[in-house]
Amino acid sequence: MLGWSASLAAEYRPLPPAAKGGLSTDWLIHDAAHNRLVLYLPDYHSPALAYYQWVSIRPNRPFTISFAAPKGLSVFLDNRLVFSAASSASYTLDVAKLLPAGTGSGPHLLCVWHPETPPNLTTFTNALPAVRATDKSPAGPVTVQPLPRGHQGQNVFLCFLLLIGLLYGSIRSAYQPGFARIYHFEGLWGKPANDQDFLTKPTVTWLNLLLVMVFSLSFALLLVAIHTNIQSIIILRRLFDVPESAIVVRVLFYATLIAAFVLGKYLFLEVMGYIFDVTELVMVQYREFMRTILFMGLFLPGVMLLYLGLNQTLPETVLWVSNGVVSLMLIGTVIRIGRTLHRRASLLNLHLFSYLCATEVIPLIILLKLIVFTY
């Protein structure tokens, strides 16, 4: 009898409908095996594409929620589509105005769904108190107001920008000749004789390591501030689940990933160079990659300044500029590497062209999909 009581107490049951208005932090997921809704536990269940919640809506009472939505996120009310995000942004939505005419008060099933990535449940909050009174005038048309993208941690971003500026200034003072060799327009797009001087220098130096650290910090800051859905990648989220609110932790975490990618690319090039039998070009390719990516990274703090100044009034413009700068940085790096390799061996050689596609073009397409075309 005692064992039966213990098993009954541990039985997994769905949450009952909400007793009062307002959005709660408890969400339900669909249990396909038993065809029922059960309480979603983040540390127990795998992320789902659809989340449900029972909400209680009263007539003539607003039920306003706010949330951050990637493009394609849909909201259903009683299995009826009532909203679909046309672009990645933050939204406010009065759910009470989405009910059909003549619907009375009572529990209603709210569902949020995205076809590719799990919705970010932490952004779903009550925009207005559920008991706030409104006038008795008939409800007007449903309005969905896009809000500025980004976090509330403007001061954190500003502090990181000041740190990046101090780091660039300190490195320039300590390594002035090497710094000028990288951050110089004529040196980047100069003649082959000028390139040869840089491409024969050692790659692993304190200057390069420090500049990679500052570049990684700048790029991570941009990803956290504007490209907030980078952790929607399922593999990344399962391996490293960083809270959305921990801005400093997210910036440092992304900076570590970016630095590991930049430094670890050399090993990838060595392996691919051995497979394609072009090991003599690996070091030249990696040095060109380092020089170009570090030079392009100098423009990232400028995009962050644009974000801090205009994101509240022109969020879409800031997003377009950010995407443009990131795309230019990635595509320009590949073009520059192809130009440098073409000077040493013609890319008309199908073997070398295939090597360039495997090491640069395919990774470029993947990065553009994850960072740019997600938005």
Side-chain angles (χ1 to χ4, degrees):
M1 180 68 178
L2 182 61
W4 178 83
S5 300
S7 63
L8 181 62
E11 184 180 354
Y12 203 66
R13 293 181 178 276
L15 285 180
K20 57 181 181 180
L23 198 65
S24 72
T25 57
D26 295 320
W27 292 87
L28 307 171
I29 58 175
H30 182 242
D31 181 9
H34 301 87
N35 193 25
R36 62 177 181 177
L37 299 177
V38 296
L39 176 63
Y40 170 67
L41 300 177
D43 297 329
Y44 179 79
H45 296 106
S46 300
L49 299 179
Y51 295 93
Y52 303 83
Q53 184 172 147
W54 287 103
V55 294
S56 181
I57 303 176
R58 301 179 182 180
N60 301 323
R61 295 290 185 98
F63 192 100
T64 310
I65 61 176
S66 63
F67 54 92
K71 181 179 179 180
L73 183 134
S74 300
V75 177
F76 295 83
L77 195 61
D78 296 332
N79 294 325
R80 183 174 59 91
L81 178 65
V82 294
F83 168 78
S84 183
S87 61
S88 298
S90 297
Y91 296 90
T92 58
L93 196 65
D94 190 352
V95 181
K97 295 181 179 180
L98 305 178
L99 290 172
T103 303
S105 61
H108 299 274
L109 186 61
L110 178 72
C111 171
V112 294
W113 171 81
H114 193 277
E116 297 179 356
T117 60
N120 188 355
L121 299 181
T122 59
T123 65
F124 284 80
T125 57
N126 295 301
L128 293 174
V131 297
R132 182 175 177 179
T134 60
D135 56 17
K136 302 301 181 178
S137 58
V142 176
T143 58
V144 179
Q145 303 172 351
L147 300 178
R149 295 169 55 84
H151 299 273
Q152 301 299 321
Q154 307 291 335
N155 293 332
V156 177
F157 297 143
L158 186 59
C159 290
F160 270 114
L161 269 181
L162 293 175
L163 176 62
I164 291 171
L166 290 175
L167 289 175
Y168 271 126
S170 302
I171 295 173
R172 183 180 182 276
S173 299
Y175 303 93
Q176 189 168 1
F179 190 91
R181 195 162 46 241
I182 296 176
Y183 299 103
H184 196 273
F185 283 95
E186 295 180 1
L188 184 69
W189 304 104
K191 298 179 180 179
N194 297 331
D195 291 344
Q196 187 65 28
D197 178 62
F198 178 86
L199 297 177
T200 55
K201 297 291 183 181
T203 304
V204 182
T205 63
W206 282 111
L207 171 62
N208 289 343
L209 291 178
L210 290 174
L211 289 177
V212 167
M213 180 187 70
V214 182
F215 164 77
S216 302
L217 192 61
S218 302
F219 201 6
L221 196 63
L222 187 65
L223 290 178
V224 174
I226 301 178
H227 299 278
T228 55
N229 290 330
I230 189 70
Q231 206 175 345
S232 295
I233 305 172
I234 297 178
I235 297 178
L236 181 61
R237 188 181 58 253
R238 289 187 176 180
L239 293 177
F240 310 99
D241 189 11
V242 183
E244 183 75 21
S245 58
I247 301 177
V248 176
V249 177
R250 290 175 71 86
V251 171
L252 297 178
F253 170 66
Y254 290 162
T256 303
L257 287 182
I258 295 168
F261 171 81
V262 173
L263 297 176
K265 184 172 182 177
Y266 176 74
L267 298 178
F268 172 70
L269 293 180
E270 282 286 358
V271 173
M272 297 303 294
Y274 175 78
I275 294 175
F276 284 86
D277 194 22
V278 290
T279 53
E280 69 277 3
L281 297 177
V282 168
M283 187 55 68
V284 173
Q285 180 182 358
Y286 184 69
R287 286 171 180 164
E288 187 60 69
F289 164 76
M290 286 281 288
R291 176 175 63 166
T292 309
I293 204 76
L294 293 179
F295 179 85
M296 295 291 188
L298 193 63
F299 297 96
L300 298 181
V303 180
M304 278 303 304
L305 288 176
L306 186 69
Y307 165 82
L308 293 175
L310 299 179
N311 190 59
Q312 295 296 326
T313 56
L314 299 171
E316 293 299 325
T317 302
V318 173
L319 180 61
W320 275 99
V321 172
S322 169
N323 284 336
V325 171
V326 173
S327 300
L328 179 63
M329 180 181 68
L330 297 176
I331 297 174
T333 301
V334 174
I335 295 176
R336 177 67 184 181
I337 291 174
R339 178 171 173 257
T340 301
L341 293 181
H342 184 66
R343 290 172 179 167
R344 287 156 175 79
S346 176
L347 291 180
L348 297 178
N349 184 321
L350 182 60
H351 186 72
L352 183 59
F353 182 77
S354 300
Y355 166 77
L356 183 65
C357 289
T359 57
E360 299 296 339
V361 177
I362 295 178
L364 168 67
I365 295 174
I366 296 174
L367 290 177
L368 288 177
K369 170 59 180 175
L370 294 179
I371 299 176
V372 177
F373 295 123
T374 305
Y375 306 90

